[in-house]
Amino acid sequence: MGTILNAFVVKHFLHKFKQLKKLSLVLITAITFSGIFAVGQASAAQYSPSFKNTEIVEFVTIVGKNLKKTMIVDPNVRGKINVRSYDLLSEEQYYQFFLNVLEVYGFSAIERENNIVKIIRNKDAKTAAIPVIGSGSKIVGDEMVTRIVEVKNVTVRELVPLLRQLSDQAGGGNVTNYDPANVIMLTGTAATVKRLVKIIERVDRAGDQDVEIIKLEYASAGEMVRIIQAMNKPSSGKAGQPTFLIPKIVADDRSNSVIVSGEIKARERVARLIKRLDSELESNGNTRVYSLKYSKAEDLVKVLKGVSKSISDKGQSAKVKSSSKTNTSIESHQSTNALVITAEPDMLRSLEAVIRQLDVRRAQVLIEAIIVEVYETDGVSLGVQWGNENFGFTQFTNGPATIGSVAAGAKAAETTKGEIVPAVYSSETGEKISDEYRLNDVEGDFTALGAALGSASGLVTGVVTGDWAALIQAVSTDTNSNLLATPSITTLDNEEAYFIVGQEVPIITGSTSSSNNSNPFQTVERQEIGIKLRVTPLVNEGSAVQLSIEQESSSISGNTGVDISINKREIKTTVMAESGDMIVLGGLIDDDVQESVQKVPLLGDIPIIGHLFKSTSNSTRKRNLMVFLRATIIRDASLMSELSESKYNYIRAEQISKQEAGLSLMDDKRLPILPEWNDELALPPSFEDYQESIQEEKLIEENSLPENMSKESSLQENSSKESLLKENDE
C-alpha cells in the first residue's frame, strides 16, 4: 500500500513538474517577445513596456496592436526612442504612457471616431480636430484638448500675456482671447490646460468693488468729477496706475452728488479729496467767468437765459425761489469766447451743468461722393440719293447731307462767263466806235456748297453722268466715355457744407435794341457749371449719421439756336448711413435703340436693288449713371490725422508718378511735388538761428576771398561786422 502511494505521489509530482516546465517555457517566450517587440504582457490587462533605440513608427505600431487601435502616422513623425517602465501598467495607464512618450518627443495623438488615432506633430495639433472640453471633462494627461474659459472680473486682454508665458506656444499650445465676450480659448495637453484654468480661477477674483454716493454742499458735481479725473490721468512718459486702483467716478447733476465705485482704498482716497474740495467759496461774489472750449459764447447766451428763466418761474426749491429776487445776468465776451454769469450759487450750479453738457467736442463727418457714368453710342448710316435735271430727284433727310443742298451749292459755286458786248458804230457816219469784247467771268459762291458738305461725315461721294447724278454716303460712329468724379468734403455735425469744382458760364437772359438798332445790348447771367455738393450731416447716437444731400453734376453739351445747352444731373435726398459704409443715392440705366428707314415706295422694297432707293440709319445708346456716397464720422483728432495723411499721400504719389514719367520738352525738376507728411508745425527760425546762419554765410565768403585782398583788410572787415552784430544783439 505504501509503495503504491509513493508511486502515485511520484507520478503526480512528475505531472506537476511537466506543467511547471510548460509554464516556464511560456514565460520565457513572453519575456523574449517583450525584448523583441518592446511590450511584455504579464496578464490580460497589464503591460510592462520596454523600448531601446526603437523607431517611433514601430513604437506606435506595437502600441496600436496591443490596444487594438488603428494608428495613422504623419510622414513627418520620425526618430528613435528609449524608454522603459519597471511597473506593470493597466490599459489606461499604458495609453497615458504612450501619450507621455509622444509629448516628450514633440508629437501628439488625436483620437477620432471608430477607434482611429492620428499621430502628428505638436505644432500641427492646435489646428486639428481636437476635442473641446468643459469643466466636467474626464480627459487627463497629455491628450490634446481645447477649452473655453469665461472670465468675469478681469479683462482677458491683460490676462492672456501672462498665460502665454506658461503655455507651450512653440509646440501645440495656444492661448487666444475674445474681447467682446471676455473669454479665453486654451489649447494644449489636458494637464497643461487644467493648470492654466486653475491659474485663471485664482486670478479672476472680484475685489471690494462697492459703490459710494457723496452728496456735495457747495461745489458742483460735474466740476468735482472733472478735477478728480484730471488728477487720476496718467502723466505722459510714465507708467499709469493699475486698472483696479483707478476708481470710477460719475456725476449726478440732479442731486448734485458724486458716485464713486472701486476698491475700498481708492474710494477712501477720493472721498477725502472730495470733502476737502467741497467747501464754501472764499469770496462772497456771485459772478463767474466760463471759458468755452468748443461752443460759441453768443450761441449759448440765448439758451442759458431761457434755462434761467424757466428755473426761476418753476421754483423747484426754496433756494431757487429766493434767487428769483435777484436778477440773473448772462453776457458773452466775443474776444475770449467766454460767458460772464451773475446769479445765486444754486442758479450758478444749474447753469454750469448746462454749459458743461453743451460745450463738448462736436463730431465731424467726412462725406465722399462717387459719380460714375459709362456712356456708349453706336450708329451706322447708309443711303443713296438720285437726281435728274429733267425729272427731279430722290432725297432722304436721315443722313448727314442731302442731294438737293449739294446740288444747289454746286450750282452756286459755278463760275459764270462774262457776257459779249457787241461792237458800237456811229449812226451818222457808220464808222466803228468800239470793237466787240467780253466781260470778265464772275466767280461762284462756295458758301452754300461748303455748308452742305460741312454737315456731311463719313464717306460721301457723287457720280454725275449727263443729266443724271447720284450721291452715296456711308458713316459709322462709335462713342465711349467713362466719367468718374469723387468730390469729398468735411464738416462739423449739423453744419451745412458746400463744395463746387467747375466754372461760371455766361447765359443770355434777354436783349434790347432801339428803333434804329444803333445801340443794342444783351443781359447776361452767369451760371455755375461743374461738380457741386451741398450736405448737412446729423450724427445720431452710435455710428449712424443722417445726411441731407444736394448733389449736382452739370456740363456744357453744345450750342443751340438760341444759346448753349447744359447737361444736368441732380439729386436731392435725405438718407441714413452707417459710418464708413457705402450707399447708393440714385442712378439711371438707359438703353435706347433706334432705326430710321426712308425709301421710295415700291422701288425701295425690291430685294437688293431696293437699297439704291432708300436710306437706312441705325443707332444704339447705352448709359449707366450711378451716384454713391460714404460718410465717415470723425470723433477724435487721430482719425482726422489718419484720413488727412491718406489723402495727402495719395496726391503726393500721383505727383511722384508724374515726375517719374517726365515731360518730353521740359526738365523733370520743374514738376511740383508735395513734401512728406509731417504733423509737426514748421516754425520760422528764431533770431539766434538767423544770426548763426548769417555768420556761417560770412565765413563761407571769407574762405572764398580774392588772393589780392590782404589779410589785414579782411580782419578789419570781420571785426567791424562782429561789432555791428553785437550792436544788433544789444
Side-chain angles (χ1 to χ4, degrees):
M1 186 68 181
T3 304
I4 295 173
L5 182 61
N6 291 333
F8 178 78
V9 170
V10 171
K11 185 178 181 180
H12 180 72
F13 176 78
L14 292 176
H15 178 71
K16 291 295 185 180
F17 178 79
K18 290 180 180 180
Q19 291 182 348
L20 183 61
K21 185 177 181 181
K22 291 180 180 180
L23 180 60
S24 300
L25 182 60
V26 170
L27 290 177
I28 293 171
T29 305
I31 295 173
T32 306
F33 181 83
S34 174
I36 296 175
F37 294 98
V39 174
Q41 184 175 359
S43 63
Q46 289 186 335
Y47 302 89
S48 178
S50 177
F51 300 89
K52 183 178 182 181
N53 201 22
T54 305
E55 292 288 341
I56 193 168
V57 176
E58 184 179 355
F59 166 68
V60 172
T61 303
I62 294 173
V63 173
K65 289 181 179 179
N66 292 335
L67 298 180
K68 297 180 180 180
K69 294 180 181 291
T70 302
M71 300 291 184
I72 301 176
V73 184
D74 188 274
N76 296 317
V77 177
R78 302 186 187 91
K80 295 184 178 182
I81 63 171
N82 289 282
V83 65
R84 181 179 179 182
S85 174
Y86 294 96
D87 296 331
L88 294 178
L89 305 179
S90 63
E91 184 173 342
E92 182 178 355
Q93 292 174 338
Y94 184 54
Y95 185 67
Q96 289 298 325
F97 167 81
F98 171 66
L99 297 177
N100 296 150
V101 174
L102 292 179
E103 198 274 336
V104 169
Y105 285 90
F107 304 107
S108 298
I110 308 300
E111 190 168 2
R112 304 292 296 160
E113 297 82 3
N114 300 327
N115 209 24
I116 296 176
V117 181
K118 295 194 300 183
I119 311 300
I120 59 177
R121 295 180 299 181
N122 266 344
K123 61 181 181 179
D124 298 331
K126 63 180 70 175
T127 57
I130 58 179
V132 180
I133 64 173
S135 58
S137 175
K138 297 181 180 180
I139 299 178
V140 295
D142 289 336
E143 186 173 351
M144 295 295 295
V145 295
T146 296
R147 181 171 177 179
I148 299 175
V149 182
E150 181 182 2
V151 182
K152 300 179 179 179
N153 300 298
V154 297
T155 59
V156 293
R157 188 184 296 273
E158 298 176 354
L159 188 57
V160 163
L162 172 64
L163 299 177
R164 284 176 178 169
Q165 297 180 9
L166 305 176
S167 175
D168 183 16
Q169 294 292 115
N174 189 29
V175 180
T176 308
N177 59 292
Y178 182 63
D179 294 340
N182 203 47
V183 296
I184 299 177
M185 183 177 69
L186 305 174
T187 300
T189 61
T192 303
V193 170
K194 185 177 181 180
R195 173 170 170 263
L196 295 178
V197 171
K198 289 183 178 180
I199 295 175
I200 294 174
E201 292 175 352
R202 297 268 183 112
V203 175
D204 185 28
R205 292 183 178 179
D208 188 9
Q209 298 286 336
D210 202 356
V211 177
E212 184 176 353
I213 301 176
I214 304 174
K215 187 171 181 59
L216 303 181
E217 185 177 358
Y218 303 102
S220 170
E223 186 67 17
M224 185 68 70
V225 169
R226 185 186 64 81
I227 295 173
I228 297 174
Q229 288 179 346
M231 294 184 61
N232 289 332
K233 185 180 297 183
S235 303
S236 59
K238 297 181 180 179
Q241 287 182 314
T243 306
F244 69 94
L245 292 180
I246 300 178
K248 296 181 180 179
I249 308 169
V250 181
D252 183 15
D253 297 327
R254 183 183 59 83
S255 61
N256 197 34
S257 303
V258 177
I259 304 173
V260 185
S261 173
E263 296 288 338
I264 182 170
K265 296 297 181 181
R267 296 199 314 270
E268 291 177 354
R269 184 176 68 255
V270 173
R272 289 194 300 268
L273 180 59
I274 292 175
K275 291 179 181 178
R276 294 179 62 181
L277 294 176
D278 185 27
S279 59
E280 190 175 0
L281 296 175
E282 296 181 359
S283 61
N284 296 325
N286 294 327
T287 301
R288 294 285 300 273
V289 178
Y290 298 94
S291 297
L292 302 180
K293 299 178 180 178
Y294 306 104
S295 302
K296 290 184 179 180
E298 298 86 350
D299 298 338
L300 290 183
V301 168
K302 296 181 180 180
V303 178
L304 295 178
K305 285 183 177 180
V307 172
S308 63
K309 185 177 182 303
S310 177
I311 295 176
S312 300
D313 294 341
K314 289 183 179 180
Q316 296 177 355
S317 62
K319 291 183 180 181
V320 176
K321 286 182 180 180
S322 63
S323 65
S324 62
K325 300 178 182 179
T326 304
N327 293 330
T328 301
S329 174
I330 304 173
E331 302 293 338
S332 64
H333 188 252
Q334 297 183 3
S335 301
T336 58
N337 194 36
L339 294 171
V340 182
I341 302 177
T342 301
E344 293 297 322
D346 290 341
M347 180 67 75
L348 281 175
R349 283 195 295 267
S350 300
L351 296 179
E352 182 183 0
V354 176
I355 294 171
R356 185 174 58 254
Q357 296 181 28
L358 295 179
D359 186 30
V360 295
R361 181 188 179 99
R362 296 165 63 186
Q364 300 183 87
V365 181
L366 170 64
I367 299 100
E368 298 171 288
I370 302 176
I371 307 167
V372 184
E373 181 178 6
V374 179
Y375 185 75
E376 178 182 352
T377 59
D378 294 325
V380 179
S381 178
L382 176 63
V384 180
Q385 303 179 53
W386 294 91
N388 186 275
E389 187 176 357
N390 300 318
F391 300 103
F393 57 88
T394 63
Q395 179 171 297
F396 306 111
T397 60
N398 62 348
T402 60
I403 190 172
S405 61
V406 174
K411 185 64 177 177
E414 291 180 354
T415 301
T416 305
K417 293 184 178 181
E419 297 179 356
I420 299 175
V421 179
V424 179
Y425 296 90
S426 173
S427 59
E428 295 179 356
T429 62
E431 296 179 356
K432 184 186 287 187
I433 298 175
S434 62
D435 296 331
E436 181 183 358
Y437 66 93
R438 182 184 293 275
L439 296 176
N440 295 331
D441 295 342
V442 179
E443 294 183 356
D445 187 4
F446 289 86
T447 304
L449 181 60
L453 295 179
S455 62
S457 61
L459 173 64
V460 179
T461 182
V463 179
V464 179
T465 303
D467 296 338
W468 290 91
L471 180 65
I472 304 173
Q473 52 185 348
V475 60
S476 175
T477 60
D478 187 4
T479 303
N480 293 318
S481 64
N482 188 354
L483 172 65
L484 175 63
T486 57
S488 62
I489 189 170
T490 304
T491 181
L492 282 173
D493 178 26
N494 204 22
E495 292 288 343
E496 184 183 274
Y498 180 68
F499 175 85
I500 179 173
V501 175
Q503 57 182 344
E504 290 187 348
V505 177
I507 306 294
I508 298 175
T509 58
S511 62
T512 304
S513 60
S514 59
S515 59
N516 57 0
N517 202 23
S518 60
N519 188 22
F521 67 90
Q522 294 177 335
T523 57
V524 177
E525 180 182 351
R526 294 189 176 273
Q527 182 175 344
E528 294 178 346
I529 303 297
I531 304 295
K532 292 190 284 187
L533 178 63
R534 189 188 301 272
V535 62
T536 302
L538 181 61
V539 178
N540 298 330
E541 184 177 358
S543 60
V545 55
Q546 179 179 333
L547 301 166
S548 299
I549 303 164
E550 295 182 18
Q551 199 282 320
E552 178 182 325
S553 175
S554 56
S555 60
I556 301 174
S557 63
N559 296 325
T560 62
V562 180
D563 206 340
I564 61 175
S565 60
I566 297 174
N567 296 326
K568 186 176 181 180
R569 306 165 185 85
E570 184 176 6
I571 291 179
K572 292 183 180 180
T573 183
T574 301
V575 297
M576 182 77 71
E578 291 292 327
S579 177
D581 289 350
M582 184 78 71
I583 62 173
V584 59
L585 297 183
L588 170 67
I589 299 177
D590 185 14
D591 195 350
D592 183 14
V593 179
Q594 294 183 359
E595 182 178 7
S596 174
V597 179
Q598 294 182 358
K599 61 183 178 179
V600 178
L602 299 179
L603 296 178
D605 297 329
I606 300 174
I608 301 176
I609 301 176
H611 290 286
L612 299 176
F613 301 97
K614 67 180 178 181
S615 176
T616 305
S617 176
N618 296 334
S619 65
T620 61
R621 182 183 66 182
K622 294 182 179 180
R623 175 186 297 174
N624 294 329
L625 172 64
M626 287 292 170
V627 179
F628 302 90
L629 183 137
R630 178 173 61 190
T632 304
I633 301 176
I634 305 173
R635 300 186 183 274
D636 51 18
S638 61
L639 181 56
M640 172 62 78
S641 177
E642 181 181 348
L643 293 174
S644 301
E645 182 179 359
S646 175
K647 298 289 185 182
Y648 187 93
N649 290 334
Y650 172 77
I651 297 299
R652 188 170 185 272
E654 290 289 332
Q655 292 182 335
I656 293 175
S657 177
K658 294 294 183 182
Q659 187 188 53
E660 292 177 353
L663 298 176
S664 58
L665 300 177
M666 298 178 64
D667 189 6
D668 294 345
K669 294 183 179 179
R670 300 184 63 180
L671 293 176
I673 294 181
L674 291 172
E676 293 185 2
W677 173 266
N678 186 8
D679 292 331
E680 298 180 358
L681 180 62
L683 296 175
S686 62
F687 179 75
E688 291 78 6
D689 296 337
Y690 177 71
Q691 292 294 336
E692 291 180 359
S693 64
I694 291 178
Q695 292 180 3
E696 290 178 358
E697 291 178 358
K698 299 302 181 183
L699 292 174
I700 294 174
E701 291 179 359
E702 291 174 2
N703 293 331
S704 60
L705 288 175
E707 297 180 357
N708 55 3
M709 181 178 291
S710 62
K711 294 183 179 180
E712 295 180 359
S713 60
S714 61
L715 292 174
Q716 291 177 0
E717 184 178 357
N718 290 336
S719 62
S720 61
K721 290 179 179 179
E722 290 178 358
S723 61
L724 289 174
L725 291 175
K726 290 181 180 179
E727 292 178 1
N728 291 333
D729 294 339
E730 293 174 357

